[in-house]
Amino acid sequence: MRILQVCPHVYGDVGGVSVHVKNISEHLAKNHDVTVYVSNPDSRCPRFEVKNGVKIERFRCFAPSNSYFLSWDMLLRLKKIDFDIVHGHSYHAFPMHFARIAKCRKFVVTPHFHGVGHSPFRRCLVRLLKPFGKRTFDLADRIIAVSQFEKRLLCKEFNIDSDKVIVIPNGVNFSEFKGLRKRNHNFKLMLYVGFLDYYKGVHYLVEVLPKLPDDVVLDIVGDGPLKAFLRGRAAELGVGRRVRFYQNLPRRELLQKYVDADVFVLLSMYEAYSLVIAEALAAGTPCVVAEASALSEWVDNESCFGVTLPPNLKKLADLISYVLYKDVDKEVMRKWIGTKILDWRDVSQMLEKIYAQ
């Protein structure tokens, strides 16, 4: 099959949608002709490239605050091409909706939809674009949701027949964790990985740190508009030396962070699935999450523990301490494998069957 994946952001290992598209494309490319159209903010990447058998074509775009990814060049290109399968990704940016104009035998979308924008302007835009989004979903032959939460939300918001929406969770490359072992350290490590913005709840981790024992250290991996504030707030609270910042870590080093962590915490308001939770659990690290959006589907009070938003800092500190100093059985994490955490190879095989129907 000749398959086109249309992705709003960079092609690589940063960001949930980008990681999703990269992994399914490279697995599919072992048996099919796979092309990826992706935006190219600031024209920092090559216009054309081939990676692990995947042909990548990048387009100039307008992306204020690293969002929307409006590319007229991509739109014009999509009008001219013809593929067996066109698969668009990410409801919250233009490329998925542009993908519907391409000629193809089957049009598939994976919206990664969580229902809202992350600022007043973006929330307004989400509402204004709802009829446009509805049209995209009407034209799609199949809609892929990454969680039951996302499926319910899509069906409710856009009046979609539930039979049209198929749930296929995101994946993890289990082979990447081979050979990684937890390193000894004389402190307790709390880990956050992701974009640094208010909706992600990372600021709560700095606020709660003074209420945790002095041997608890917080590692924050990522970048975003909140980074300077987080540094300043940690200094104000007297915990600056207990907060360590990292970004652009090589993949192996990031995975080692997951393995070394004693608890992974994500208090995000909006998630359609959460790859970082899947990777943390795959690494054998217990998690604390917000009981909101798709994160609530992870809460089992054995491997993943939930808190309400906004969190009561004392209750949050008590829960984090409980997880940090409780000997959580790593075997408990394994129950997610094969159900909510799949290998990317299995995700790609499920997509192949949908493409071939």
Side-chain angles (χ1 to χ4, degrees), residues 266-269 288-301 304-309 319:
L266 178 62
L267 304 181
S268 176
M269 296 174 65
V288 172
V289 302
E291 292 197 64
S293 63
L295 291 179
S296 60
E297 294 182 6
W298 293 103
V299 176
D300 63 354
N301 294 316
C304 192
F305 304 80
V307 297
T308 57
L309 292 179
L319 179 58

Side-chain angles (χ1 to χ4, degrees), residues 92 111-118 149-150 153 199 270-272 293:
H92 301 275
H112 303 273
F113 181 73
H114 45 63
V116 298
H118 302 147
F149 164 82
E150 185 189 12
L153 189 61
Y199 82 92
Y270 316 117
E271 297 292 330
S293 63

Side-chain angles (χ1 to χ4, degrees), residues 3 15 46 52 96 115 127 141 145-146 163 186 225 227 248 259 275 295 308 321:
I3 301 168
N52 298 320
M96 186 192 91
R127 290 194 295 270
D141 296 289
V146 293
D163 290 340
N186 60 355
K227 190 169 188 176
N248 301 323
V259 174
L275 266 172
L295 291 179
T308 57
S321 295

Side-chain angles (χ1 to χ4, degrees), residues 191-196 219-223 244-249 254 257:
L191 178 65
Y192 170 88
V193 177
F195 190 54
L196 305 186
D219 277 4
I220 296 175
V221 181
D223 197 11
R244 306 184 302 190
F245 290 87
Y246 304 86
Q247 68 183 78
N248 301 323
L249 289 179
L254 175 59
K257 284 283 184 191

Side-chain angles (χ1 to χ4, degrees), residues 138-176:
D138 286 345
L139 290 172
D141 296 289
R142 276 287 183 264
I143 301 168
I144 311 297
V146 293
S147 65
Q148 291 294 337
F149 164 82
E150 185 189 12
K151 177 175 179 174
R152 289 192 299 271
L153 189 61
L154 286 168
C155 292
K156 178 183 176 182
E157 291 290 321
F158 298 96
N159 194 28
I160 300 170
D161 186 333
S162 64
D163 290 340
K164 189 174 183 176
V165 185
I166 300 171
V167 177
I168 302 178
N170 282 319
V172 168
N173 286 320
F174 291 110
S175 61
E176 291 183 313

Side-chain angles (χ1 to χ4, degrees), residues 62 67 76 81 84 94 125 133 136 212 224 286 296 348 353:
F62 175 65
S67 59
L76 292 173
I81 54 89
D84 296 316
F94 285 103
L125 191 62
T136 299
L212 293 170
S296 60
S348 301
K353 292 178 181 179

Side-chain angles (χ1 to χ4, degrees), residues 10 35-36 47 69 79 123 158 183 201 209 291-292 335:
V10 295
T35 301
V36 174
R47 175 75 173 85
F69 304 98
K79 285 183 175 181
R123 286 191 287 272
F158 298 96
R183 299 176 295 196
L209 197 55
E291 292 197 64
K335 72 178 183 182

Side-chain angles (χ1 to χ4, degrees), residues 62-126:
F62 175 65
S65 301
N66 209 34
S67 59
Y68 313 129
F69 304 98
L70 175 61
S71 173
W72 298 118
D73 290 342
M74 184 187 293
L75 179 65
L76 292 173
R77 183 81 172 102
L78 285 163
K79 285 183 175 181
K80 299 176 181 178
I81 54 89
D82 190 350
F83 281 80
D84 296 316
I85 307 295
V86 173
H87 191 160
H89 298 263
S90 188
Y91 176 91
H92 301 275
F94 285 103
M96 186 192 91
H97 304 286
F98 287 172
R100 73 191 195 198
I101 70 170
K103 292 180 181 178
C104 61
R105 177 176 60 81
K106 180 168 286 187
F107 176 45
V108 179
V109 295
T110 301
H112 303 273
F113 181 73
H114 45 63
V116 298
H118 302 147
S119 68
F121 175 72
R122 294 185 192 183
R123 286 191 287 272
C124 180
L125 191 62
V126 166

